[in-house]
């Protein structure tokens, strides 16, 4: 069993540190997505299941709209001005 303290963070939020040994024991690493649930006086934190997303799903999420609504990227060559060095 490990103990930690609850601290107030910015914006009225609260947080606490989880010991590295505890996270290693359950397989949680930096930037992993976790699932938090509450029942009565118990808070449960578990590693969120991996959710594979297709490229289309990722792009739709990134742009905020379906791919069919995106305008195609121009294939025209862009003029960046005169060369200033040994560029080809």
């Amino acid at each position: 069993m490990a103990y930690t303290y609850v601290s107030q963070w910015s914006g009225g939020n609260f947080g606490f540190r989880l010991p590295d040994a505890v996270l290693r024991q359950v397989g949680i690493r930096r930037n992993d997505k976790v699932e938090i649930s509450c029942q009565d006086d118990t808070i449960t934190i578990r590693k969120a299941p991996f959710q594979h997303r297709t490229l289309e799903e990722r792009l739709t999420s990134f742009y905020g709209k379906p791919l069919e609504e995106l305008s195609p990227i121009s294939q025209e060559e862009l003029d960046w001005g005169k060369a200033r060095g040994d560029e080809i």
Side-chain angles (χ1 to χ4, degrees):
M1 179 171 299
Y3 292 92
T4 189
Y5 292 93
V6 176
S7 302
Q8 186 164 8
W9 290 7
S10 63
N13 293 312
F14 293 87
F16 52 89
R17 293 178 183 213
L18 298 171
D20 186 53
V22 171
L23 295 177
R24 272 190 275 120
Q25 187 175 355
V26 294
I28 296 176
R29 298 181 306 174
R30 173 189 275 178
N31 295 325
D32 279 350
K33 187 174 183 179
V34 295
E35 186 178 279
I36 302 172
S37 60
C38 305
Q39 185 173 1
D40 300 325
D41 65 346
T42 302
I43 299 171
T44 304
I45 302 171
R46 69 179 71 199
K47 188 172 182 174
F50 177 74
Q51 296 177 344
H52 177 75
R53 294 189 309 167
T54 65
L55 179 59
E56 183 174 346
E57 290 168 333
R58 288 171 184 253
L59 290 170
T60 298
S61 174
F62 180 79
Y63 288 110
K65 54 185 168 182
L67 294 181
E68 303 82 49
E69 294 179 16
L70 297 175
S71 55
I73 297 173
S74 173
Q75 297 296 322
E76 294 178 27
E77 186 173 321
L78 297 175
D79 181 5
W80 291 91
K82 282 179 69 175
R84 294 184 177 201
D86 296 328
E87 299 95 347
I88 296 175

